[in-house]
Amino acid sequence: QDHVCSLPKVPFRGAPCSDAAGSQVPYAAIMKQVNSSLSGVLWDEVQKAPFYEYKDSVGQFHQVWFDDPHSISLKAAYMKSRGLRGIGMWNGNSLDYSREAVAEQQTQAMWQALTP
């Protein structure tokens, strides 16, 4: 089916399927790869998250799910609307902290999105 990608079942702490079968990709790599992907940025309305699709050098299909300032801001707004005390994110060190202007803007936008 279109836009369906499955992870191999790799048990992790009792879960039948987990991210143990996948891998983490730095945000800088995502921002560079998404522009040359098969799909461009797609949006999942249920997860409130962006993703994209690509084929690797051997023709295997992949999906990359990630957060961006829009998806983070939606999650932060949800937290605030429910009176919750905070929000966390997986790995802030995956952002691009180089001195490149585009990277600085992207990283700043991600951190700002955490404050609704």
Side-chain angles (χ1 to χ4, degrees), residues 3 39-52 65-75:
H3 312 298
S39 63
V41 176
L42 300 170
W43 181 260
D44 185 280
E45 189 57 35
V46 174
Q47 301 297 321
K48 305 286 190 230
F51 66 101
Y52 64 92
W65 288 76
F66 60 100
D67 274 310
D68 63 6
H70 178 64
S71 63
I72 294 255
S73 67
L74 291 173
K75 293 166 185 166

Side-chain angles (χ1 to χ4, degrees), residues 15-35:
C17 184
S18 73
D19 64 351
S23 60
Q24 184 172 312
V25 179
Y27 191 69
I30 289 170
M31 292 295 95
K32 289 176 182 165
Q33 187 179 45
V34 71
N35 293 328

